[in-house]
Amino acid sequence: MTIAVIDGQGGRMGALLVEAMRRAGIGAPHRVLAIGTNALATSAMLKAGADQGATGANPVIVASRTADLIVGPIGILMADALLGEITPEMAVAVGRSPATKLLLPVNQCSSIVAGTQQLTLAQLIDSAVAQIAALAARG
């Protein structure tokens, strides 16, 4: 299974996700790709243990075509989210991707997801990693 972790800004959420996946034993044969909207985000996820990384709009588009699972903040589905780092093309690519999408409901940047609880980032990461582990176990 190829897991694409998409993040922007400083890459903190993506790095925490990658670290938590590694601690949970999610590794080979699964491949974790760090896809940053900027070099800082990609670097943070690679330092956290991602197998490979790439930066920018085109890697988001390519990873969206090839990944089995896309993980990231819900903003990766919204043009101009993450303080403008998500281009319309990126949002469309993620939205159209046949990959399963595991989105963290971060209620920031003028977007609020109704029906969600206000969880800390650590709680969101724990929940996401438990779901990633279950999906990875299925293949």
Side-chain angles (χ1 to χ4, degrees):
M1 170 183 279
T2 299
I3 303 167
V5 180
I6 302 175
D7 199 10
Q9 298 177 335
R12 181 169 179 254
M13 180 183 292
L16 290 171
L17 278 164
V18 172
E19 286 174 357
M21 282 190 281
R22 294 308 192 201
R23 278 194 311 273
I26 300 169
H30 309 295
R31 187 169 65 133
V32 178
L33 302 179
I35 309 297
T37 60
N38 61 64
L40 185 60
T42 304
S43 177
M45 291 185 280
L46 285 169
K47 286 178 186 172
D51 296 309
Q52 291 179 297
T55 302
N58 201 57
V60 170
I61 293 166
V62 171
S64 294
R65 286 195 306 254
T66 60
D68 300 298
L69 175 63
I70 296 173
V71 184
I74 196 166
I76 62 176
L77 286 175
M78 298 174 211
D80 300 330
L82 280 67
L83 299 176
E85 292 185 16
I86 301 297
T87 67
E89 295 80 13
M90 292 165 133
V92 167
V94 173
R96 286 184 177 164
S97 173
T100 299
K101 294 159 209 65
L102 198 156
L103 305 169
L104 283 74
V106 182
N107 292 326
Q108 295 177 356
C109 299
S110 302
S111 298
I112 299 171
V113 181
T116 60
Q117 302 172 13
Q118 289 294 333
L119 302 176
T120 66
L121 183 55
Q123 291 169 319
L124 285 172
I125 299 295
D126 289 345
S127 175
V129 171
Q131 292 176 54
I132 292 167
L135 290 167
R138 292 193 320 210

